Amino acid sequence: MPKESLATDITVRDAKAEDRPFVVTIAQRLVAFGPPSWRTPQEIVAREVRTLEEFFDHQKTGTALLIATLSTEQLLGYVYLETVEDYFTAERHGHVSIIAVSEDGEGKGVGGALMRAAEVWARSSGFHRLTLNVFEANSRARAVYAHLGYRVETLRYVKVLDETVNGPSDR
């Protein structure tokens, strides 16, 4: 059965303390969409959960966690935003550090709603740019970002030099 569009029923709001269990649980989905073979699901989820826990425990200036809900308050996804510095210009800008959508929200415009809310946050913070990283194999997310006007700026290449540390390299 095709997933219906709910884009008009989606609301994005600031995270509340009671959203913590949802946010941490949905972080598990971040490994479902294309991490490279040298990254273990455990290391990806552990780092993302640590970042989210730090947000709830000690919110840093220049960060935001936005939650997408249905009008019924069903939680559908979130975006974690940070302020970072551009490597080339040293200009501060917004960065989408983590974006995750629940299975119930998948294919229903939740990711797009979160990205548009992230853009509002960045503009209201006085930023002229919003950046993000995405795994190369995550073609679905890459298509959403391209549709929203995001463009590839750099490509990061990795070669695993010590196979005993992170498993076999992709040669």
Side-chain angles (χ1 to χ4, degrees):
M1 179 174 166
K3 295 183 179 182
E4 69 282 0
S5 174
L6 297 175
T8 58
D9 296 333
I10 297 169
T11 301
V12 179
R13 60 164 172 78
D14 289 330
K16 304 174 191 171
E18 57 266 25
D19 297 325
R20 186 182 202 141
F22 168 78
V23 167
V24 170
T25 299
I26 297 304
Q28 304 295 321
R29 287 187 42 84
L30 296 169
V31 297
F33 303 99
S37 61
W38 60 87
R39 296 280 184 202
T40 67
Q42 296 81 11
E43 77 179 313
I44 291 168
V45 171
R47 179 61 190 137
E48 302 294 41
V49 167
R50 201 165 51 246
T51 297
L52 295 163
E53 294 282 6
E54 287 170 5
F55 172 84
F56 282 106
D57 292 340
H58 315 285
Q59 185 176 355
K60 295 185 294 188
T61 301
T63 64
L65 181 60
L66 306 177
I67 306 290
T69 68
L70 278 178
S71 54
T72 60
E73 280 299 305
Q74 177 188 2
L75 304 177
L76 299 173
Y78 62 87
V79 60
Y80 175 65
L81 302 156
E82 296 179 291
T83 300
V84 298
E85 192 174 278
D86 185 81
Y87 175 80
F88 301 105
T89 67
E91 178 183 12
R92 292 167 30 106
H93 66 275
H95 181 74
V96 174
S97 184
I98 306 170
I99 183 167
V101 175
S102 69
E103 275 190 69
D104 290 342
E106 192 175 311
K108 297 178 181 175
V110 175
L114 286 165
M115 289 303 295
R116 285 186 291 280
E119 292 172 16
V120 169
W121 171 82
R123 283 186 189 101
S124 70
S125 298
F127 300 137
H128 302 290
R129 285 192 185 92
L130 183 62
T131 61
L132 59 89
N133 296 316
V134 62
F135 288 123
E136 177 191 20
N138 192 344
S139 55
R140 188 173 186 172
R142 291 175 66 184
V144 170
Y145 302 142
H147 175 76
L148 293 172
Y150 290 80
R151 302 292 174 249
V152 174
E153 180 179 47
T154 64
L155 299 174
R156 177 179 169 169
Y157 281 77
V158 175
K159 180 177 182 179
V160 177
L161 300 175
D162 185 352
E163 294 182 13
T164 62
V165 174
N166 291 328
S169 62
D170 291 339
R171 295 181 220 211

